[in-house]
Amino acid sequence: MEGADIRIIEKVQSLSDLELAVLICLVADQHCIIETEKEHIPDVQEELKLVAGSVFGLTWAVLECDENTTLDDFGNGILVRADEYEDSNIEHEKKRGQFSSISRSPDPFGTKSPSGFSPLDSERIANVVIARNLNQASSQVQIQALELIRGKRNFTRTAVHTAPKLFLFIALNTSGTPRLAMHLNDQFFISHKHQAEDGLPNMEELQEKERALDDGASMSSVDLMNLTKLTSEVRISSEVRAYLHNIVVFMRLHRAVAGGISALATRHFNTLAHALAPLHGLNYISPSMVALAARKIYPHRIIIAAPENERSMQWGSSLEAVKAVLEGVTVEDVIEEVLESVEVPL
């Protein structure tokens, strides 16, 4: 790798778990689900805002969701004012690495909404939308979120807002709560469970007010473009490709799995495996990266079968025996069992 690429890898090594999740999604042009315990949701939300603004220099918006959230609330909650950051590119370079006290972060990428849609509208969709408790929103709101993710546009009564080129939609949900609507859930690239012991480095540094002017951790648009380019150049051998597809097959055939192993999930699986390689300084995919990708792609997708619907019941299995086998089985158990069952290429 060239010197510039090595410097990017060094930056990546210093990122926290949330920063790394955001980076991977931006490089892959995808979206993610972040889960944490209920009492940690406010702090994780603040951390994500700091990650978006101070580490990546992107605009952000927070959308608070519940069962009473309307489509108008959704449309307004994902917007930021376009005229607040006309000179923000220069300002961001001056203050790079510092935390801003303003409620919106600068946008150095010039991602204003096309003026052709609504000349009177001074707002645009933020680069990073943090949808808190999206799984509690009504089906109409979740469908609107699905349309935004798939079409990168949001239609309101007065305007059509187009998402910027760098766009990330984060569903911040409480662990153990119901999943998102099926099709929306499948559109999310990866899921990550943030544990309290992982820490919130940006929040901690902000509170201590000891962050340096430039600690080298900020990821610029050039860094993102370089990582995207490196990802496109990643190679995968026929043996590793077969390993990846064997994992998919074993997932689908696992007796505890009732669904969730979709074609889109397989494409995301392959995409994530490619995206992980340059983050480790490699231009090829290793089996360990495939296993790591599986642990991030499938946890929010796999549906555990109810004992009465387990496939061996069609062949005369005892319901009590099936209940005993499936008792306590989690999504994580299924993934680990599959990874242990599939032969790893040398």
Side-chain angles (χ1 to χ4, degrees), residues 227-295:
L227 280 173
T228 302
K229 179 176 180 294
L230 291 173
T231 299
S232 67
E233 297 171 351
V234 169
R235 304 188 308 272
I236 181 170
S237 67
S238 57
E239 293 82 5
V240 174
R241 187 182 297 278
Y243 176 58
L244 186 150
H245 285 287
N246 285 340
I247 290 175
V248 175
V249 172
F250 274 59
M251 289 275 192
R252 286 178 176 159
L253 295 178
H254 195 284
R255 67 184 305 169
V257 174
I261 317 300
S262 64
L264 180 58
T266 302
R267 292 198 295 273
H268 284 172
F269 189 12
N270 183 66
T271 299
L272 180 56
H274 279 77
L276 289 173
L279 301 185
H280 290 82
L282 302 174
N283 62 353
Y284 61 90
I285 299 174
S286 67
S288 62
M289 292 176 195
V290 174
L292 177 58
R295 294 185 176 100

Side-chain angles (χ1 to χ4, degrees), residues 3-252:
D5 298 335
I6 294 175
R7 286 193 294 273
I8 294 176
I9 303 306
E10 291 175 349
K11 286 184 179 182
V12 170
Q13 299 302 319
S14 67
L15 297 179
S16 67
D17 64 318
L18 293 176
E19 292 168 344
L20 192 56
V22 170
L23 173 64
I24 290 173
C25 289
L26 289 173
V27 170
D29 192 22
Q30 297 291 341
H31 312 277
C32 68
I33 297 173
I34 303 293
E35 293 185 350
T36 190
E37 297 301 322
K38 184 176 182 179
E39 61 270 22
H40 300 311
I41 287 284
D43 288 340
V44 173
Q45 174 183 303
E46 292 302 313
E47 177 74 7
L48 288 171
K49 286 157 58 176
L50 293 172
V51 168
S54 298
V55 178
F56 294 96
L58 301 173
T59 58
W60 52 263
V62 174
L63 174 65
E64 300 273 357
C65 297
D66 57 34
E67 62 275 9
N68 298 317
T69 301
T70 65
L71 294 179
D72 288 339
D73 294 334
F74 178 88
N76 293 327
I78 63 176
L79 301 178
V80 292
R81 292 194 62 83
D83 57 2
E84 291 180 8
Y85 310 112
E86 292 179 356
D87 301 320
S88 62
N89 191 9
I90 298 176
E91 191 67 19
H92 176 67
E93 291 301 321
K94 288 181 179 179
K95 297 183 178 180
R96 188 175 178 183
Q98 288 183 310
F99 291 113
S100 174
S101 60
I102 61 175
S103 62
R104 303 293 190 195
S105 58
D107 177 13
F109 300 103
T111 51
K112 294 184 178 180
S113 297
S115 58
F117 289 121
S118 180
L120 299 178
D121 193 19
S122 62
E123 295 181 310
R124 58 187 173 84
I125 297 176
N127 294 107
V128 179
V129 175
I130 305 167
R132 179 172 168 176
N133 297 323
L134 181 62
N135 57 340
Q136 297 181 13
S138 65
S139 59
Q140 290 88 348
V141 170
Q142 294 194 38
I143 290 172
Q144 192 79 349
L146 174 61
E147 290 299 320
L148 173 61
I149 290 174
R150 293 184 62 182
K152 291 197 171 183
R153 288 184 180 181
N154 188 60
F155 294 83
T156 67
R157 299 178 183 180
T158 59
V160 178
H161 297 284
T162 302
K165 184 176 180 181
L166 280 174
F167 177 58
L168 170 59
F169 194 100
I170 301 175
L172 177 58
N173 297 331
T174 302
S175 298
T177 54
R179 291 183 176 181
L180 298 163
M182 181 180 67
H183 295 294
L184 174 60
N185 188 69
D186 196 36
Q187 282 292 323
F188 281 98
F189 185 51
I190 61 174
S191 60
H192 173 69
K193 290 186 177 181
H194 178 79
Q195 307 293 339
E197 54 267 25
D198 294 331
L200 301 168
N202 292 289
M203 286 279 291
E204 294 163 3
E205 290 171 355
L206 177 61
Q207 292 168 357
E208 295 172 1
K209 297 182 180 179
E210 294 178 353
R211 187 176 177 88
L213 288 178
D214 188 356
D215 62 2
S218 295
M219 302 293 292
S220 67
S221 59
V222 175
D223 293 333
L224 293 176
M225 287 189 292
N226 285 341
L227 280 173
T228 302
K229 179 176 180 294
L230 291 173
T231 299
S232 67
E233 297 171 351
V234 169
R235 304 188 308 272
I236 181 170
S237 67
S238 57
E239 293 82 5
V240 174
R241 187 182 297 278
Y243 176 58
L244 186 150
H245 285 287
N246 285 340
I247 290 175
V248 175
V249 172
F250 274 59
M251 289 275 192
R252 286 178 176 159

